[in-house]
Amino acid sequence: MSESSPSISKETSIYGDKFKIASWNVNSLKVRLPHVEQWLKKAEPDILVLQETKTIDENFPAEEIQNMGYQVVFSGQKTYNGVAILCKDEYLIEDVVMDLPDLDDPQRRILAATINGIRILDLYVVNGSEVGSEKFEYKLHWLEKVTNWIEEQSKQYKKFVILGDFNIAPKDRDVHNPKSWHEKILCSTPERNALQKIIDLGFADSFRLFEQEDETYSWWDYRSGGFDKNMGLRIDLVLSSKLLAEQCTASYVDPEPRGWERPSDHAPVVSEYRNLQ
């Protein structure tokens, strides 16, 4: 975990500056670090959370990220999983949580922090492998424990954003071929019900607060030309608490990095807010 810089308030005009919060499953930070740097320069998010960093903490490129103008906290493991939260240098990272008290899970999938008065929860939700499998049952158990913790946190934090790779497509409209995915992993009723339980705690799927183009996805399989054919799923989400949903001015997927050389199979997802002082 990096040391934090002194907190500096971000000035906001009466019209409200954009405060941009983003999520990206990078599928190996070692491979995708140049992409992260390129995207940070292009998009300039205030906060970026990452999933599937796939690196142990000792090898995490904290110095390189700090040289990009961002401070970072991270929780990693070898080869699999791994999460990180980046924020611009002018903000203070506080109250970091890497493990939930009621969830025994050695996998590095959860990272929470408070930044600029906003509670940020970065999730890399269990994939589940196949409906009905032991891994699927563990996914539902994992989501239940995380949901319970979110409910407790919601009592304390009114500015709360939960974002990351949820490994769940919320609705059929978030799936390129609903018939072929019907009741399969990522699209099954139990998974969608588990996601809805989080939303029912007082959150909104930020993307659906706005009119969006049909067939907008955030993940495309490397196989069979998934990206070129736009055969994807929207499984990377930004959930905003009621207070933040009211101040959300835009939410979108940025597919450009998915077309770069040696890309992640996911694209960044972004939500923008106003008046977050």
Side-chain angles (χ1 to χ4, degrees):
M1 191 189 329
S2 69
E3 294 183 0
S4 299
S5 303
S7 177
I8 301 176
S9 296
K10 187 183 181 77
E11 291 185 358
T12 308
S13 74
I14 59 172
Y15 300 103
D17 283 344
K18 291 180 181 178
F19 190 91
K20 191 180 295 188
I21 302 176
S23 173
W24 192 3
N25 179 323
V26 291
N27 192 14
S28 175
L29 187 55
K30 181 178 180 181
V31 175
R32 245 64 71 176
L33 186 62
H35 285 193
V36 171
E37 181 173 17
Q38 183 176 349
W39 194 77
L40 286 175
K41 288 179 179 177
K42 170 197 169 215
E44 297 185 328
D46 293 273
I47 297 170
L48 171 64
V49 308
L50 305 177
Q51 304 85 42
E52 280 204 276
T53 55
K54 295 183 177 180
T55 183
I56 59 175
D57 289 350
E58 290 81 356
N59 294 338
F60 192 91
E63 184 175 350
E64 290 91 331
I65 288 174
Q66 289 163 356
N67 289 338
M68 299 174 196
Y70 287 77
Q71 53 184 310
V72 60
V73 290
F74 46 87
S75 180
Q77 67 184 89
K78 186 177 181 180
T79 309
Y80 300 103
N81 308 315
V83 283
I85 299 176
L86 290 64
C87 72
K88 287 184 176 179
D89 279 340
E90 62 256 41
Y91 303 119
L92 180 66
I93 301 177
E94 302 175 291
D95 303 323
V96 175
V97 172
M98 299 180 182
D99 294 284
L100 306 191
D102 197 29
L103 177 62
D104 182 16
D105 186 7
Q107 299 182 38
R108 302 293 83 194
R109 295 179 171 274
I110 298 169
L111 187 58
T114 300
I115 302 169
N116 196 38
I118 306 166
R119 192 61 167 163
I120 301 292
L121 177 57
D122 178 13
L123 294 180
Y124 176 42
V125 174
V126 177
N127 177 278
S129 181
E130 184 179 352
V131 174
S133 67
E134 288 186 11
K135 291 182 179 179
F136 180 77
E137 293 305 319
Y138 188 74
K139 178 178 189 173
L140 297 181
H141 168 80
W142 190 93
L143 282 164
E144 180 182 1
K145 296 299 184 182
V146 170
T147 302
N148 291 342
W149 189 77
I150 290 170
E151 184 173 15
E152 289 301 312
Q153 292 283 288
S154 297
K155 297 173 184 176
Q156 183 177 354
Y157 299 99
K158 299 307 178 187
K159 296 179 180 179
F160 196 172
V161 177
I162 308 165
L163 68 172
D165 177 359
F166 280 74
N167 270 315
I168 302 169
K171 305 285 185 182
D172 279 354
R173 60 180 170 172
D174 301 304
V175 181
H176 74 90
N177 187 338
K179 287 186 178 180
S180 67
W181 284 90
H182 180 67
E183 294 301 340
K184 292 184 178 177
I185 196 68
L186 312 185
C187 301
S188 73
T189 297
E191 293 167 281
R192 287 176 169 173
N193 287 345
L195 173 61
Q196 189 62 46
K197 286 181 180 179
I198 296 176
I199 292 172
D200 287 346
L201 293 175
F203 292 85
D205 179 353
S206 304
F207 183 79
R208 292 299 176 197
L209 293 172
F210 306 93
E211 191 171 330
Q212 304 285 0
E213 290 188 13
D214 293 338
E215 300 182 332
T216 298
Y217 309 122
S218 65
W219 170 85
W220 301 261
D221 200 322
Y222 287 126
R223 299 167 294 184
S224 304
F227 181 64
D228 291 336
K229 298 174 184 177
N230 198 29
M231 297 167 57
L233 303 176
R234 190 177 70 92
I235 57 176
D236 302 87
L237 311 175
V238 182
L239 306 183
S240 299
S241 64
K242 183 177 184 296
L243 181 60
L244 291 184
E246 292 170 352
Q247 299 178 78
C248 191
T249 58
S251 190
Y252 50 91
V253 179
D254 182 356
E256 182 183 337
R258 183 61 176 82
W260 292 347
E261 187 177 355
R262 296 187 72 196
S264 168
D265 46 353
H266 295 252
V269 297
V270 186
S271 286
E272 297 176 1
Y273 305 85
R274 65 171 180 268
N275 297 330
L276 290 187
Q277 292 297 92

mmCIF file of all heavy atoms in Angstrom, residues 53-85:
data_model
loop_
_atom_site.group_PDB
_atom_site.id
_atom_site.type_symbol
_atom_site.label_atom_id
_atom_site.label_comp_id
_atom_site.label_asym_id
_atom_site.label_seq_id
_atom_site.Cartn_x
_atom_site.Cartn_y
_atom_site.Cartn_z
ATOM 1 N N THR A 53 -5.440 -7.686 -11.445
ATOM 2 C CA THR A 53 -4.083 -7.165 -11.586
ATOM 3 C C THR A 53 -3.067 -8.305 -11.694
ATOM 4 O O THR A 53 -2.008 -8.146 -12.283
ATOM 5 C CB THR A 53 -3.718 -6.264 -10.402
ATOM 6 O OG1 THR A 53 -3.922 -6.989 -9.171
ATOM 7 C CG2 THR A 53 -4.587 -5.011 -10.403
ATOM 8 N N LYS A 54 -3.368 -9.438 -11.082
ATOM 9 C CA LYS A 54 -2.575 -10.670 -11.218
ATOM 10 C C LYS A 54 -1.112 -10.480 -10.832
ATOM 11 O O LYS A 54 -0.210 -10.948 -11.535
ATOM 12 C CB LYS A 54 -2.677 -11.210 -12.655
ATOM 13 C CG LYS A 54 -4.068 -11.654 -13.066
ATOM 14 C CD LYS A 54 -4.068 -12.244 -14.475
ATOM 15 C CE LYS A 54 -5.448 -12.756 -14.854
ATOM 16 N NZ LYS A 54 -5.481 -13.327 -16.221
ATOM 17 N N THR A 55 -0.893 -9.803 -9.737
ATOM 18 C CA THR A 55 0.484 -9.609 -9.281
ATOM 19 C C THR A 55 0.521 -9.566 -7.758
ATOM 20 O O THR A 55 -0.403 -9.051 -7.124
ATOM 21 C CB THR A 55 1.083 -8.320 -9.863
ATOM 22 O OG1 THR A 55 2.441 -8.194 -9.453
ATOM 23 C CG2 THR A 55 0.318 -7.086 -9.421
ATOM 24 N N ILE A 56 1.586 -10.123 -7.187
ATOM 25 C CA ILE A 56 1.745 -10.043 -5.741
ATOM 26 C C ILE A 56 2.108 -8.611 -5.369
ATOM 27 O O ILE A 56 2.631 -7.851 -6.185
ATOM 28 C CB ILE A 56 2.821 -11.035 -5.244
ATOM 29 C CG1 ILE A 56 4.182 -10.758 -5.900
ATOM 30 C CG2 ILE A 56 2.384 -12.477 -5.508
ATOM 31 C CD1 ILE A 56 5.308 -11.620 -5.350
ATOM 32 N N ASP A 57 1.839 -8.259 -4.126
ATOM 33 C CA ASP A 57 2.037 -6.876 -3.691
ATOM 34 C C ASP A 57 3.484 -6.418 -3.865
ATOM 35 O O ASP A 57 3.743 -5.259 -4.196
ATOM 36 C CB ASP A 57 1.605 -6.719 -2.237
ATOM 37 C CG ASP A 57 0.086 -6.797 -2.071
ATOM 38 O OD1 ASP A 57 -0.625 -6.774 -3.101
ATOM 39 O OD2 ASP A 57 -0.379 -6.887 -0.922
ATOM 40 N N GLU A 58 4.428 -7.327 -3.655
ATOM 41 C CA GLU A 58 5.842 -6.962 -3.756
ATOM 42 C C GLU A 58 6.221 -6.530 -5.173
ATOM 43 O O GLU A 58 7.166 -5.759 -5.368
ATOM 44 C CB GLU A 58 6.731 -8.135 -3.330
ATOM 45 C CG GLU A 58 6.691 -8.446 -1.849
ATOM 46 C CD GLU A 58 5.477 -9.273 -1.443
ATOM 47 O OE1 GLU A 58 4.610 -9.553 -2.307
ATOM 48 O OE2 GLU A 58 5.388 -9.622 -0.255
ATOM 49 N N ASN A 59 5.463 -6.998 -6.158
ATOM 50 C CA ASN A 59 5.768 -6.663 -7.552
ATOM 51 C C ASN A 59 4.824 -5.621 -8.137
ATOM 52 O O ASN A 59 4.913 -5.301 -9.328
ATOM 53 C CB ASN A 59 5.708 -7.925 -8.418
ATOM 54 C CG ASN A 59 6.792 -8.926 -8.073
ATOM 55 O OD1 ASN A 59 7.827 -8.564 -7.495
ATOM 56 N ND2 ASN A 59 6.580 -10.191 -8.413
ATOM 57 N N PHE A 60 3.935 -5.085 -7.314
ATOM 58 C CA PHE A 60 2.970 -4.119 -7.839
ATOM 59 C C PHE A 60 3.701 -2.848 -8.282
ATOM 60 O O PHE A 60 4.547 -2.317 -7.547
ATOM 61 C CB PHE A 60 1.927 -3.767 -6.773
ATOM 62 C CG PHE A 60 0.758 -3.008 -7.328
ATOM 63 C CD1 PHE A 60 -0.362 -3.672 -7.779
ATOM 64 C CD2 PHE A 60 0.788 -1.622 -7.416
ATOM 65 C CE1 PHE A 60 -1.445 -2.974 -8.304
ATOM 66 C CE2 PHE A 60 -0.286 -0.919 -7.943
ATOM 67 C CZ PHE A 60 -1.406 -1.595 -8.393
ATOM 68 N N PRO A 61 3.384 -2.313 -9.463
ATOM 69 C CA PRO A 61 4.104 -1.146 -10.003
ATOM 70 C C PRO A 61 3.639 0.177 -9.391
ATOM 71 O O PRO A 61 3.233 1.104 -10.107
ATOM 72 C CB PRO A 61 3.803 -1.223 -11.500
ATOM 73 C CG PRO A 61 2.433 -1.830 -11.560
ATOM 74 C CD PRO A 61 2.397 -2.848 -10.444
ATOM 75 N N ALA A 62 3.727 0.276 -8.068
ATOM 76 C CA ALA A 62 3.228 1.466 -7.375
ATOM 77 C C ALA A 62 3.977 2.726 -7.809
ATOM 78 O O ALA A 62 3.375 3.781 -8.023
ATOM 79 C CB ALA A 62 3.336 1.271 -5.865
ATOM 80 N N GLU A 63 5.304 2.620 -7.928
ATOM 81 C CA GLU A 63 6.087 3.803 -8.292
ATOM 82 C C GLU A 63 5.721 4.298 -9.679
ATOM 83 O O GLU A 63 5.596 5.512 -9.906
ATOM 84 C CB GLU A 63 7.583 3.470 -8.222
ATOM 85 C CG GLU A 63 8.471 4.670 -8.495
ATOM 86 C CD GLU A 63 9.949 4.356 -8.310
ATOM 87 O OE1 GLU A 63 10.280 3.265 -7.794
ATOM 88 O OE2 GLU A 63 10.782 5.204 -8.697
ATOM 89 N N GLU A 64 5.533 3.368 -10.619
ATOM 90 C CA GLU A 64 5.164 3.763 -11.978
ATOM 91 C C GLU A 64 3.817 4.479 -11.989
ATOM 92 O O GLU A 64 3.643 5.488 -12.679
ATOM 93 C CB GLU A 64 5.108 2.534 -12.898
ATOM 94 C CG GLU A 64 6.455 1.916 -13.198
ATOM 95 C CD GLU A 64 6.842 0.819 -12.212
ATOM 96 O OE1 GLU A 64 6.389 0.887 -11.038
ATOM 97 O OE2 GLU A 64 7.586 -0.091 -12.607
ATOM 98 N N ILE A 65 2.871 3.987 -11.205
ATOM 99 C CA ILE A 65 1.556 4.622 -11.141
ATOM 100 C C ILE A 65 1.650 5.986 -10.461
ATOM 101 O O ILE A 65 1.016 6.958 -10.895
ATOM 102 C CB ILE A 65 0.562 3.687 -10.427
ATOM 103 C CG1 ILE A 65 0.223 2.514 -11.348
ATOM 104 C CG2 ILE A 65 -0.707 4.434 -10.018
ATOM 105 C CD1 ILE A 65 -0.619 1.439 -10.728
ATOM 106 N N GLN A 66 2.448 6.095 -9.418
ATOM 107 C CA GLN A 66 2.638 7.387 -8.761
ATOM 108 C C GLN A 66 3.258 8.396 -9.717
ATOM 109 O O GLN A 66 2.921 9.589 -9.682
ATOM 110 C CB GLN A 66 3.505 7.198 -7.521
ATOM 111 C CG GLN A 66 2.778 6.467 -6.394
ATOM 112 C CD GLN A 66 3.705 5.917 -5.331
ATOM 113 O OE1 GLN A 66 4.926 6.005 -5.451
ATOM 114 N NE2 GLN A 66 3.140 5.329 -4.296
ATOM 115 N N ASN A 67 4.118 7.932 -10.607
ATOM 116 C CA ASN A 67 4.718 8.822 -11.608
ATOM 117 C C ASN A 67 3.694 9.298 -12.636
ATOM 118 O O ASN A 67 3.942 10.263 -13.365
ATOM 119 C CB ASN A 67 5.876 8.124 -12.317
ATOM 120 C CG ASN A 67 7.085 7.941 -11.414
ATOM 121 O OD1 ASN A 67 7.243 8.647 -10.419
ATOM 122 N ND2 ASN A 67 7.939 6.983 -11.743
ATOM 123 N N MET A 68 2.554 8.626 -12.703
ATOM 124 C CA MET A 68 1.466 9.048 -13.592
ATOM 125 C C MET A 68 0.579 10.103 -12.932
ATOM 126 O O MET A 68 -0.374 10.580 -13.541
ATOM 127 C CB MET A 68 0.611 7.833 -13.986
ATOM 128 C CG MET A 68 1.345 6.744 -14.721
ATOM 129 S SD MET A 68 0.270 5.271 -14.982
ATOM 130 C CE MET A 68 1.488 4.023 -15.405
ATOM 131 N N GLY A 69 0.873 10.434 -11.675
ATOM 132 C CA GLY A 69 0.084 11.437 -10.965
ATOM 133 C C GLY A 69 -1.029 10.853 -10.123
ATOM 134 O O GLY A 69 -1.952 11.574 -9.723
ATOM 135 N N TYR A 70 -0.922 9.558 -9.840
ATOM 136 C CA TYR A 70 -1.945 8.877 -9.047
ATOM 137 C C TYR A 70 -1.305 8.158 -7.868
ATOM 138 O O TYR A 70 -0.225 7.580 -7.982
ATOM 139 C CB TYR A 70 -2.698 7.854 -9.906
ATOM 140 C CG TYR A 70 -3.644 8.480 -10.894
ATOM 141 C CD1 TYR A 70 -3.170 9.056 -12.084
ATOM 142 C CD2 TYR A 70 -5.002 8.548 -10.648
ATOM 143 C CE1 TYR A 70 -4.036 9.647 -12.992
ATOM 144 C CE2 TYR A 70 -5.890 9.131 -11.556
ATOM 145 C CZ TYR A 70 -5.398 9.677 -12.715
ATOM 146 O OH TYR A 70 -6.255 10.272 -13.613
ATOM 147 N N GLN A 71 -1.984 8.202 -6.741
ATOM 148 C CA GLN A 71 -1.603 7.345 -5.629
ATOM 149 C C GLN A 71 -2.450 6.093 -5.686
ATOM 150 O O GLN A 71 -3.486 6.050 -6.367
ATOM 151 C CB GLN A 71 -1.764 8.075 -4.302
ATOM 152 C CG GLN A 71 -3.116 8.696 -4.053
ATOM 153 C CD GLN A 71 -3.135 9.482 -2.763
ATOM 154 O OE1 GLN A 71 -2.723 8.984 -1.732
ATOM 155 N NE2 GLN A 71 -3.614 10.714 -2.825
ATOM 156 N N VAL A 72 -2.026 5.054 -4.973
ATOM 157 C CA VAL A 72 -2.669 3.765 -5.181
ATOM 158 C C VAL A 72 -2.611 2.919 -3.919
ATOM 159 O O VAL A 72 -1.640 2.986 -3.158
ATOM 160 C CB VAL A 72 -2.012 3.024 -6.368
ATOM 161 C CG1 VAL A 72 -0.523 2.774 -6.129
ATOM 162 C CG2 VAL A 72 -2.717 1.705 -6.676
ATOM 163 N N VAL A 73 -3.670 2.154 -3.698
ATOM 164 C CA VAL A 73 -3.673 1.069 -2.716
ATOM 165 C C VAL A 73 -4.034 -0.196 -3.485
ATOM 166 O O VAL A 73 -4.745 -0.138 -4.501
ATOM 167 C CB VAL A 73 -4.651 1.305 -1.548
ATOM 168 C CG1 VAL A 73 -4.162 2.429 -0.666
ATOM 169 C CG2 VAL A 73 -6.059 1.580 -2.046
ATOM 170 N N PHE A 74 -3.556 -1.333 -3.000
ATOM 171 C CA PHE A 74 -3.735 -2.558 -3.779
ATOM 172 C C PHE A 74 -3.707 -3.775 -2.880
ATOM 173 O O PHE A 74 -3.193 -3.753 -1.754
ATOM 174 C CB PHE A 74 -2.643 -2.677 -4.841
ATOM 175 C CG PHE A 74 -1.253 -2.388 -4.337
ATOM 176 C CD1 PHE A 74 -0.468 -3.379 -3.759
ATOM 177 C CD2 PHE A 74 -0.734 -1.107 -4.424
ATOM 178 C CE1 PHE A 74 0.802 -3.103 -3.288
ATOM 179 C CE2 PHE A 74 0.548 -0.820 -3.952
ATOM 180 C CZ PHE A 74 1.314 -1.819 -3.381
ATOM 181 N N SER A 75 -4.276 -4.834 -3.398
ATOM 182 C CA SER A 75 -4.309 -6.118 -2.711
ATOM 183 C C SER A 75 -4.205 -7.190 -3.782
ATOM 184 O O SER A 75 -5.099 -7.321 -4.619
ATOM 185 C CB SER A 75 -5.608 -6.264 -1.909
ATOM 186 O OG SER A 75 -5.659 -7.499 -1.242
ATOM 187 N N GLY A 76 -3.103 -7.944 -3.778
ATOM 188 C CA GLY A 76 -2.866 -8.849 -4.888
ATOM 189 C C GLY A 76 -2.456 -10.242 -4.483
ATOM 190 O O GLY A 76 -2.194 -10.536 -3.321
ATOM 191 N N GLN A 77 -2.404 -11.094 -5.491
ATOM 192 C CA GLN A 77 -1.915 -12.446 -5.319
ATOM 193 C C GLN A 77 -1.317 -12.890 -6.643
ATOM 194 O O GLN A 77 -1.544 -12.274 -7.689
ATOM 195 C CB GLN A 77 -3.037 -13.395 -4.885
ATOM 196 C CG GLN A 77 -4.109 -13.618 -5.930
ATOM 197 C CD GLN A 77 -5.255 -14.476 -5.430
ATOM 198 O OE1 GLN A 77 -6.207 -13.965 -4.879
ATOM 199 N NE2 GLN A 77 -5.159 -15.782 -5.641
ATOM 200 N N LYS A 78 -0.555 -13.961 -6.597
ATOM 201 C CA LYS A 78 0.154 -14.427 -7.782
ATOM 202 C C LYS A 78 -0.805 -15.040 -8.795
ATOM 203 O O LYS A 78 -1.684 -15.826 -8.432
ATOM 204 C CB LYS A 78 1.212 -15.455 -7.380
ATOM 205 C CG LYS A 78 2.122 -15.911 -8.511
ATOM 206 C CD LYS A 78 3.175 -16.868 -7.997
ATOM 207 C CE LYS A 78 4.118 -17.307 -9.127
ATOM 208 N NZ LYS A 78 5.153 -18.240 -8.629
ATOM 209 N N THR A 79 -0.666 -14.644 -10.049
ATOM 210 C CA THR A 79 -1.319 -15.283 -11.195
ATOM 211 C C THR A 79 -2.807 -14.973 -11.334
ATOM 212 O O THR A 79 -3.315 -14.850 -12.453
ATOM 213 C CB THR A 79 -1.144 -16.818 -11.161
ATOM 214 O OG1 THR A 79 0.241 -17.118 -10.987
ATOM 215 C CG2 THR A 79 -1.630 -17.465 -12.452
ATOM 216 N N TYR A 80 -3.514 -14.843 -10.226
ATOM 217 C CA TYR A 80 -4.968 -14.684 -10.290
ATOM 218 C C TYR A 80 -5.439 -13.440 -9.533
ATOM 219 O O TYR A 80 -4.753 -12.940 -8.642
ATOM 220 C CB TYR A 80 -5.669 -15.906 -9.689
ATOM 221 C CG TYR A 80 -5.359 -17.198 -10.371
ATOM 222 C CD1 TYR A 80 -4.461 -18.103 -9.802
ATOM 223 C CD2 TYR A 80 -5.947 -17.527 -11.595
ATOM 224 C CE1 TYR A 80 -4.164 -19.314 -10.434
ATOM 225 C CE2 TYR A 80 -5.660 -18.728 -12.230
ATOM 226 C CZ TYR A 80 -4.769 -19.613 -11.643
ATOM 227 O OH TYR A 80 -4.474 -20.799 -12.272
ATOM 228 N N ASN A 81 -6.645 -12.981 -9.897
ATOM 229 C CA ASN A 81 -7.364 -11.969 -9.110
ATOM 230 C C ASN A 81 -6.539 -10.690 -8.926
ATOM 231 O O ASN A 81 -5.799 -10.296 -9.805
ATOM 232 C CB ASN A 81 -7.802 -12.568 -7.766
ATOM 233 C CG ASN A 81 -8.564 -13.862 -7.950
ATOM 234 O OD1 ASN A 81 -9.441 -13.956 -8.800
ATOM 235 N ND2 ASN A 81 -8.217 -14.885 -7.165
ATOM 236 N N GLY A 82 -6.659 -10.047 -7.777
ATOM 237 C CA GLY A 82 -5.942 -8.804 -7.513
ATOM 238 C C GLY A 82 -6.769 -7.582 -7.844
ATOM 239 O O GLY A 82 -7.398 -7.494 -8.913
ATOM 240 N N VAL A 83 -6.820 -6.632 -6.901
ATOM 241 C CA VAL A 83 -7.593 -5.406 -7.066
ATOM 242 C C VAL A 83 -6.749 -4.208 -6.638
ATOM 243 O O VAL A 83 -5.820 -4.337 -5.838
ATOM 244 C CB VAL A 83 -8.901 -5.457 -6.239
ATOM 245 C CG1 VAL A 83 -9.941 -6.315 -6.922
ATOM 246 C CG2 VAL A 83 -8.647 -5.975 -4.824
ATOM 247 N N ALA A 84 -7.081 -3.040 -7.175
ATOM 248 C CA ALA A 84 -6.351 -1.815 -6.837
ATOM 249 C C ALA A 84 -7.275 -0.616 -6.990
ATOM 250 O O ALA A 84 -8.210 -0.638 -7.800
ATOM 251 C CB ALA A 84 -5.124 -1.645 -7.731
ATOM 252 N N ILE A 85 -7.009 0.420 -6.206
ATOM 253 C CA ILE A 85 -7.729 1.691 -6.314
ATOM 254 C C ILE A 85 -6.708 2.791 -6.527
ATOM 255 O O ILE A 85 -5.781 2.960 -5.726
ATOM 256 C CB ILE A 85 -8.553 1.987 -5.052
ATOM 257 C CG1 ILE A 85 -9.618 0.900 -4.826
ATOM 258 C CG2 ILE A 85 -9.222 3.359 -5.153
ATOM 259 C CD1 ILE A 85 -10.411 1.065 -3.540
#
